[in-house]
Amino acid sequence: MKHYKITGGNLLSGEISVHGSKNAALPILAATVINNGKSIIHNCPNLSDVRNMLEILNLLGCRAEFVGRDVIVDSSGFSPKDIPYDIMKQTRSSSLFAGALLARGKRALISGSGGCCIGRRPIDLHLRAFGEMGADIIPTGDGILCVADCLRGSKIILDFPSVGATENIMIAASLTPSTTVIYNAAKEPEIVNLADYLRSVGVIIKGDGTGEIHIKGTCTPKDGEVEVVGDRIVAATYLTAVACSGGSIKIKSIDPGHLSSVIASYRKMGMSIGVDGDEIEVSRQTRLVNLPNIITSPYPGFPTDCQPLIVAAMTTSYGIGIVNERIFENRLGHCERLRRMGANIETTGRCAVVRGVYSLSGADVSSCDLRCGAALVCAALGAKGESVVSNISYIDRGYENLCDSLKILGAKIERIELNE
């Protein structure tokens, strides 16, 4: 089993470029099914989750492969079929194929999906929307079957601005010539990136990035092309690495506006952060000060994916920090692991109270989900002594060679294999 061995205490310095966003690339890859031709996805990150999506595309008769930093998908050979459960369970974003399969293949079997165990991620919003668009929703022994000879445009009000539901509805509506309107839609940059791809194949979309999105589909999709935006969570991870270890770095190939709430929070904690175009310069020279009011919320609020990261930074900051997780009910697993490194954290329900200690100590810790793993790596960079972070397959789902990237910045980290 592969692990990260990290020796803390080195100040970080240098420049690092952010790779393409995982959370943007995955729905775009699912959407390529609707196009009866070629799609070029530029700046696509080479991650395990992305490779799983390519496996599903090839299973469906499409030809999907990496060519350098791009992914080329030819969906002209698409053959509708159910995705086996053992493949579906590998990544949460496999559920995004439901909208594409329903739009082009007239049926989609949702048999469960994998990903990180951070809480319930119910698909009832997806199913209700498909039903409002004219699909029959049929429970079966293998999952939930959605069937529709022809989807229709509809006005859909989401109870919660779910990113996955918004994406699935956008994709499902892309081959429907009448207009679909999503109210209380998700506003994330990844939604805008998906809309950019769909527009490239001929779909008319207005309002992406706001709470009301209008989609008028096309009966004749054309070849598509899009560039995946920089991964804002990866950028936040590098920012957190400096918060934990100290030093000064430049983060490139990222839109700072996508991280406005994170940048604002770290500035309040005492970090020096400057933005210029698609670059962020970040520095931490003194001990940071904790914040009493970090609350995760849908974009543009503080991202739930960054909550474990800022908790890692809070562990050695001065004073008491309070974090409330409002998105997932089981996303404080990193707190127990950080306590093994000497952190003083109390958790009650979805709330974590962090009393900053002067320093953490190296320890053997295991990732329990993707962002937990990243938080543990950041904490280990600032800890005294050596840490071993295991179960890093979670980290590989969202970071393209995180080890080498941190080495570029001066971290003492290596990827090792230990016999269990």
Side-chain angles (χ1 to χ4, degrees):
M1 182 178 291
K2 290 181 171 56
H3 304 65
Y4 282 144
K5 185 170 74 172
I6 303 165
T7 302
N10 294 324
L11 299 178
L12 300 185
S13 64
E15 300 181 355
I16 192 74
S17 292
V18 174
H19 60 66
S21 167
K22 172 184 85 84
N23 290 336
L26 299 181
I28 290 172
L29 289 170
T32 62
V33 166
I34 72 166
N35 172 23
N36 188 27
K38 182 179 288 186
S39 296
I40 304 175
I41 317 301
H42 300 290
N43 193 35
C44 192
N46 194 342
L47 308 168
S48 59
D49 269 10
V50 168
R51 294 191 293 272
N52 287 336
M53 296 292 276
L54 299 190
E55 181 182 359
I56 294 173
L57 284 167
N58 284 298
L59 175 73
L60 295 172
C62 306
R63 294 198 303 272
E65 62 179 350
F66 268 100
V67 179
R69 298 299 304 173
D70 302 336
V71 166
I72 311 297
V73 182
D74 183 347
S75 60
S76 59
F78 170 76
S79 176
K81 61 183 68 175
D82 296 335
I83 302 171
Y85 174 72
D86 62 335
I87 297 177
M88 181 77 77
K89 70 181 181 180
Q90 293 178 28
T91 174
R92 172 69 188 175
S93 293
S94 59
S95 63
L96 290 171
F97 278 103
L101 290 172
L102 192 56
R104 189 172 177 197
K106 313 304 181 187
R107 61 171 276 153
L109 177 66
I110 303 175
S111 57
S113 55
C116 295
C117 299
I118 55 178
R120 295 181 302 109
R121 300 198 223 183
I123 59 169
D124 58 316
L125 297 179
H126 307 233
L127 297 175
R128 187 189 311 163
F130 292 156
E132 292 178 10
M133 297 174 72
D136 293 324
I137 311 300
I138 308 167
T140 72
D142 296 323
I144 300 174
L145 180 64
C146 306
V147 181
D149 287 335
C150 183
L151 293 174
R152 61 174 180 263
S154 181
K155 294 182 178 180
I156 299 168
I157 303 173
L158 295 177
D159 295 339
F160 176 83
S162 162
V163 174
T166 300
E167 292 167 340
N168 239 335
I169 298 165
M170 291 170 66
I171 297 170
S174 294
L175 296 182
T176 302
S178 52
T179 299
T180 295
V181 183
I182 310 172
Y183 297 99
N184 198 26
K187 304 173 184 177
E188 275 74 359
E190 295 80 15
I191 297 291
V192 177
N193 210 184
L194 173 61
D196 288 338
Y197 168 75
L198 294 174
R199 276 190 284 263
S200 78
V201 305
V203 181
I204 298 173
I205 301 180
K206 298 179 181 179
D208 46 299
T210 76
E212 182 177 319
I213 303 177
H214 294 243
I215 310 108
K216 183 176 175 59
T218 176
C219 295
T220 55
K222 56 185 180 179
D223 290 353
E225 188 170 4
V226 74
E227 180 166 355
V228 177
V229 298
D231 196 310
R232 59 195 172 103
I233 310 303
V234 170
T237 302
Y238 295 139
L239 199 158
T240 303
V242 175
C244 291
S245 67
S248 179
I249 69 169
K250 179 183 288 186
I251 305 168
K252 305 170 68 174
S253 304
I254 186 65
D255 184 338
H258 295 170
L259 281 169
S260 56
S261 62
V262 177
I263 289 173
S265 295
Y266 274 122
R267 280 175 172 163
K268 290 177 183 177
M269 292 177 71
M271 295 190 75
S272 174
I273 303 175
V275 300
D276 183 15
D278 66 348
E279 298 179 350
I280 302 173
E281 291 195 44
V282 54
S283 175
R284 196 219 85 187
Q285 305 300 334
T286 59
R287 190 181 183 192
L288 301 181
V289 177
N290 270 323
L291 300 178
N293 59 345
I294 296 293
I295 302 173
T296 64
S297 60
Y299 189 86
F302 194 91
T304 180
D305 280 353
C306 293
Q307 178 261 112
L309 297 172
I310 202 164
V311 168
M314 284 180 160
T315 58
T316 55
S317 298
Y318 179 79
I320 298 176
I322 300 175
V323 175
N324 283 283
E325 172 58 52
R326 296 288 179 85
I327 307 298
F328 294 115
E329 76 276 9
N330 190 29
R331 197 165 208 171
L332 293 176
H334 49 284
C335 295
E336 175 189 349
R337 278 80 177 170
L338 291 168
R339 281 196 288 265
R340 296 175 193 171
M341 302 176 74
N344 184 346
I345 307 175
E346 296 179 8
T347 57
T348 304
R350 300 187 186 190
C351 178
V353 178
V354 186
R355 292 174 171 83
V357 298
Y358 188 75
S359 65
L360 299 180
S361 299
D364 291 355
V365 288
S366 177
S367 306
C368 61
D369 61 67
L370 166 57
R371 307 306 174 185
C372 166
L376 295 177
V377 169
C378 290
L381 292 174
K384 291 183 177 179
E386 183 178 283
S387 297
V388 174
V389 179
S390 60
N391 214 9
I392 63 173
S393 59
Y394 279 120
I395 299 174
D396 292 340
R397 291 184 50 239
Y399 296 85
E400 190 176 298
N401 210 340
L402 180 61
C403 179
D404 285 352
S405 297
L406 290 172
K407 279 184 178 179
I408 291 172
L409 300 175
K412 190 172 182 182
I413 177 174
E414 57 182 317
R415 191 180 176 107
I416 60 173
E417 187 158 355
L418 298 175
N419 295 323
E420 297 299 314

